Amino acid sequence: MSDKLVPYRLWGCRPDRFDTEIEGEFAWTDHIVRTLGAAFEPAGAEIRREVSLLPETHGVSVRADGLTLGILGDGDALRYGPVLRRVVAGGYLPTVPGRIWAADAGAYNDDPARSGRVIARVSVSLGAPARLVPRNDPPDVPYTLLPPGRTLQVTGEERHFDLLHPYADPPGKYALLVTLHEADGALVEVRVDDRACGYLGRRSSARLLPIVTHLSARGLGTAARAAVSGSRLAAEVTVSVTPADEIDERVLDGPPVVVPRLAPGPVADPPDPVLPMHRYHGWGGQIVVQGDRLWILREGPVARALGPVPLTPKRIRLRDVVDVQFRPALPQTDGMLRIVTGSGRDGAPASADPDTVVFHHPDRQRFQALAEWLRHVAAVNAGPPS
């Protein structure tokens, strides 16, 4: 599906700030290494490039050239899902700046015993959900969008509260697409949906007027990114524009930069599901369940103290689970959960066993629920009694 969509660069995502860590990279390290390509180095390598955020039935996958690198955390998927689905419904692929890092665990940690295991970390730049796409539609007349940059305050917007209030309701801060126009007194008038909402100051107007008149001579209007913030009593508008003396000639004389028109309202979830990952954090180990498989991860000094750390997370297909051995946690005694597969070992769970995860008393309820669910999985795998 994603290869048929046109990229749509989301607004408000700074290319120098990767503030959202994605999850589940361990499941797609082969994709991450392929994405790094010739840049990959065993001691660690990083690239920065555009990645896409594709909303799925149960989450949001992070992809590069169609390859899944990981997923947004469950909370982020809930926050960003509606706006991402709106972009996809319009035939566009939401993209953001991404930072991709990977290394060979042995070379990175100077630990030959871990050589051959790839560790990876991917993060993306994401603005607030309400400021990723404009709340209004683009103009119906030819125009070009100026690049974002310095924040300029609009004056006089208090006289246009009736116009602005619907764009800032419920109270908050939202993205808008505005147009800039030459006005009397050598000022730049700011309009929303071709209705005036205020003016830029004299100094900012003096710098931007030559651009507005130049584009007008080409038969183009001048558009800019803006933000509206408000309450039930007042609204404020700011415009984000690169300083006039830094605007590239390609903006002034090149092809127009336009903003795609998006779907008007809520849309249904698309197909191609990425099931959410459920995590169970133990002491020195972690069980991650996704779809028809689970992983047992071992990281850090605690895991190494409990026994040999495998080169890669252990992957178990749910259809191979035949039993679960469970020891509840007490206030003074750790609990243990051991997953038994068709090729598993006999005997009781032990902390050094690769199929066992140790957990503390505060986590007893989550591991109890996991054990009961895995027993159900084992029963289904066994089939009806003969």
Side-chain angles (χ1 to χ4, degrees):
M1 179 182 69
S2 61
D3 58 352
K4 300 178 181 178
L5 302 177
V6 178
Y8 182 113
R9 175 69 176 272
L10 299 177
W11 291 17
C13 304
R14 290 178 48 176
D16 60 340
R17 185 174 65 191
F18 301 92
D19 48 8
T20 302
E21 297 284 343
I22 76 168
E23 300 182 0
E25 297 100 324
F26 64 86
W28 292 285
T29 53
D30 56 337
H31 288 179
I32 293 173
V33 171
R34 286 172 60 185
T35 300
L36 285 167
F40 178 74
E41 294 284 349
E46 174 185 301
I47 63 171
R48 300 186 180 191
R49 56 157 296 168
E50 288 287 299
V51 298
S52 57
L53 305 179
L54 192 64
E56 321 276 2
T57 302
H58 297 287
V60 175
S61 63
V62 180
R63 303 188 182 188
D65 299 326
L67 299 175
T68 299
L69 309 180
I71 61 174
L72 290 186
D74 294 345
D76 287 332
L78 288 173
R79 292 176 60 216
Y80 290 102
V83 65
L84 297 176
R85 287 194 291 271
R86 182 184 172 206
V87 174
V88 170
Y92 299 96
L93 183 64
T95 67
V96 297
R99 180 174 60 193
I100 304 167
W101 176 89
D104 178 276
Y108 182 74
N109 294 288
D110 194 21
D111 182 0
R114 302 177 68 188
S115 295
R117 176 180 180 179
V118 174
I119 52 177
R121 184 177 301 112
V122 180
S123 55
V124 298
S125 174
L126 268 174
R131 299 197 289 278
L132 295 182
V133 300
R135 211 168 192 198
N136 58 326
D137 289 328
D140 293 322
V141 299
Y143 71 95
T144 192
L145 179 68
L146 298 182
R150 186 173 301 164
T151 299
L152 306 177
Q153 180 67 50
V154 176
T155 62
E157 69 267 59
E158 68 276 1
R159 296 192 292 272
H160 304 281
F161 178 71
D162 291 343
L163 166 65
L164 297 173
H165 175 66
Y167 296 108
D169 185 42
K173 189 172 185 178
Y174 302 90
L176 280 180
L177 179 64
V178 300
T179 52
L180 308 179
H181 305 263
E182 185 175 3
D184 294 338
L187 294 177
V188 169
E189 182 181 67
V190 181
R191 298 181 188 175
V192 178
D193 296 336
D194 207 31
R195 297 172 63 189
C197 68
Y199 298 87
L200 296 180
R202 291 194 176 277
R203 180 175 298 179
S204 298
S205 293
R207 292 175 176 171
L208 287 174
L209 269 178
I211 296 173
V212 174
T213 56
H214 176 83
L215 293 175
S216 178
R218 293 184 57 197
L220 297 173
T222 303
R225 294 170 174 83
V228 57
S229 55
S231 64
R232 297 177 59 186
L233 302 175
E236 181 181 86
V237 179
T238 57
V239 177
S240 177
V241 179
T242 294
D245 57 352
E246 297 178 14
I247 290 183
D248 195 284
E249 290 185 0
R250 289 173 295 182
V251 176
L252 301 177
D253 300 312
V257 177
V258 298
V259 178
R261 188 178 296 267
L262 299 178
V267 295
D269 289 327
D272 190 17
V274 168
L275 299 178
M277 288 185 170
H278 299 282
R279 298 160 180 78
Y280 302 84
H281 293 273
W283 186 62
Q286 181 185 20
I287 296 176
V288 178
V289 182
Q290 184 192 34
D292 62 351
R293 57 197 184 276
L294 62 81
W295 289 268
I296 299 177
L297 284 71
R298 309 284 184 184
E299 291 286 353
V302 173
R304 289 195 290 272
L306 293 175
V309 175
L311 293 179
T312 59
K314 180 161 187 178
R315 178 181 182 273
I316 298 176
R317 296 177 300 183
L318 292 182
R319 67 187 184 189
D320 294 333
V321 176
V322 298
D323 194 10
V324 179
Q325 297 174 347
F326 183 74
R327 188 182 79 186
L330 302 175
Q332 303 299 325
T333 306
D334 291 333
M336 293 186 185
L337 185 150
R338 180 179 179 224
I339 302 170
V340 182
T341 63
S343 59
R345 301 175 177 83
D346 296 327
S351 60
D353 185 86
D355 298 324
T356 298
V357 172
V358 180
F359 59 94
H360 292 321
H361 186 255
D363 300 313
R364 65 192 183 282
Q365 292 181 341
R366 280 183 58 79
F367 275 88
Q368 175 74 51
L370 175 62
E372 292 174 358
W373 178 73
L374 287 173
R375 288 194 185 104
H376 170 74
V377 171
V380 171
N381 291 338
S386 56

